Amino acid sequence: RHHGIIWNNTNTAAALSSRSHTTSSWPLKTHVRDSSSQSSSRSEITINTDDANTESQHNKNRKMSKLEDDGLTLSHFITKSAAASSQSSSIHITQTKAGSESDENYSNAYSSIPVAAELGDEFDEAFLEQDLMVTDAMSSSNKNETSSASNALDRLGHQMMVNGDGSSNEEEESFHTLKFHLKTYGCQMNANDTDIIRSILLNNHIQQNATLDDTPNSLERKSDIIPLKFIETDDEIQADILLTNTCAIRENAENKVWQRLRELRSHDRKFPLSLLEGNTSNELTKMTKEQRKKLQKRNNNKKKRIIGVLGCMAERLKEDMFKDGTADVVVGPDAYRDLPRLISVLTAPSVMPANNTTTPTIPTERAVNVQLSLDETYASITPVRSNPDDVSAFVSIMRGCNNMCSYCVVPFTRGRERSREMESVVEETKRLLEEEGIKEVILLGQNVNSYHDVAKGEKKRRTKTMGGDGDDSTYQTSNDGFSNMFRLRHGDGYRFADLLEAVSSLSPELRVRFTSPHPKDYPPSLLSLMAERPNICNHLHMPAQSGSSTVLERMRRGYSREAYLELIDDVRQAIPDVAISSDFITGFCGETEEEHLETLSCMEQVQFDQAFMFAYSMRGKTHAHRTMEDDVPADVKQRRLNEIIDCFRRNCQLRNEEVDVGKLRLVLVEGEAKRSTAENRQWSGRTDQNKRVVFASGAFLVEEEVNPFLSHLSSSKLFDKNERVEQLLMPNSNEAGFLPTRVELSRGDYAVVQITEARGHTLKGQALWRSSIVGFEHHLMNMHGWKESPGGLIVQEVLTQ
């Protein structure tokens, strides 16, 4: 884990671990597979570290057995060294501890000079710890050809082909351009990670130039190294690199990824890159199979696309992702910074040093980095959103999870909890607000409300977030019925309520949401803050997972049914207009019919506004996988899942009709509805409670004129209580002495909408006027202060129905 090396043979690991710690030079052998034939003949590369004080010749020549094709893996740390290329033919292994690189000194410099590692106690300890990291570069050679380690080093030191005469390209031609395509599966964190990956790739050439400028003899190195430049494309046929950001939370999610990988490999065979020369994607898709084969034979270019697997599934399965040749590069959630370098390793077969056109290099077939970090938060990277026009933006505030629920694989794919500094989160949100004009920010984390920015220097938590006793060492759960398995959440520093207060203070017109939380981390101070701030949305995600205390205990959730229901009561008392969503798993290990019925009764009692429901899927490495049996039959799981889905839908409809239909809701306009047409244009947006609302476009009133107009109507005329609000605001004449201004709505506007219909998760309504968060709150306050005149009472009753 510490040194970026994994041994896939236990005998090898034991042999290395048993060596004396004074050993500083040890020859290792790894086999290079001939990918062009089925022959078992192998050529060998000896990889050793230099040291003046070597051991006996017996130890120097000691071979590590059975490394096979996936043996010693070095791609993460092998770079070209001027000293190595001119004075030595050995490859140096740079000692790099997990999580030790800061944002300032971390770089993808291919030309940095590594220092040979002295392998001490930490190296042996790496084999005793969980295999959190794998870094791999699998190689192949042309048939019956042998390449030396120095040739491999030369290949890795050159990123792109220079001109045939050895001269460098002009400045505008100094980058080799590769097109990449990104597809994302899974949660909001994956979507945000995709924005981070996009930023890393799109800015790679800038980073490389900066690195080279800071390197000694930079002019010489610039002529020797040509960085990669990445361009994103939506066309998979045109892409050189096909990347898939994956989810591993359930088996079904992984099956979708495997299916996509098989389709991508088939797609690469059907439309190879060689066919793109002089042909558009549309032209290729119209060709017959015979025409494509003829064209490919004429071009005689066997270059393949790079297929990459990123994210949680990559972390969980590691090198198993290479099964059946479906993937070329595998990168875990904490190793995205290394992606450009790994891609450059895979493109290296097409690169030949300018002064060496005869000696072949070793083509690299696959590369992997799934190192988990204790401090990586990507705080220094500015995400590049796929659609900059979106009115909402994600901001990641923490990564990882320490809860260790028995069914959950997240701690093993995302690592331990670590939080960004509060100042960093606030600055990113401020930039999005001022530079990109967002109207809503969604704070993200695997356990978002467990956020803890550990104190530095004089930084202290505010008293209001400490439960009133001012004790900085006290960590407070939602109520006494919740326990905390992880014991290191105490201590000084900013908590989630502090961060939420700071972000919501940036602008009263910025909506703030957050996901995904844990029910244990809703202390009273957080609920009070949400009730006080109009721009903190009245929506809480509170994953119950089960309504049975015995199942919750097996799940290691840290609370009982009674504690959860008590929290629901506290939330609805503190925030009366709150919407609550949840997650449910049915068919968990040992779940009985009685326990299933308890979950149904919990759903009936709470009446959730939204729910995500799934049948249990056993995940490797989890506590349940090690200690329990997945003993609920698949058909029983499916039947129970259908029952909880039916229960939710029934209660959701009843609740929407009770709490939403007839009410005025402030809706953030996100864009046109999916079914909008030129003849029937419709807008779509979300309420404060995170419910989608569809309404017709048109010309609407403005809030500056609505409140005085309503006040005038309420004191001057008696209205029928059955009249809709739109009739009050849109009279046929200027009987009230006032003709309002009308405006068109656009994306990013807030609109006051009267809900007229509820259909499942979607509400329909009539937009009344363009508003703002502050203006709508002012309207609600005025509504409660109207005189008890006949007109005022009728208008107030209509508005609050």
Side-chain angles (χ1 to χ4, degrees), residues 37 244 420 640:
S37 72
T244 304
R420 289 175 60 179
R640 292 176 182 175

Side-chain angles (χ1 to χ4, degrees), residues 707 710-711 714 779 782-788 792 795-796 799:
N707 284 338
L710 281 177
S711 298
S714 65
H779 158 72
N782 283 345
M783 183 182 69
H784 292 297
W786 280 342
K787 297 178 181 179
E788 294 185 2
V795 173
Q796 184 173 356
L799 290 175

Side-chain angles (χ1 to χ4, degrees), residues 273-290:
L273 289 171
S274 60
L275 299 184
L276 295 179
E277 300 174 8
N279 297 285
T280 66
S281 299
N282 289 334
E283 290 172 342
L284 291 178
T285 55
K286 293 178 181 179
M287 289 183 183
T288 64
K289 184 177 181 180
E290 290 71 20

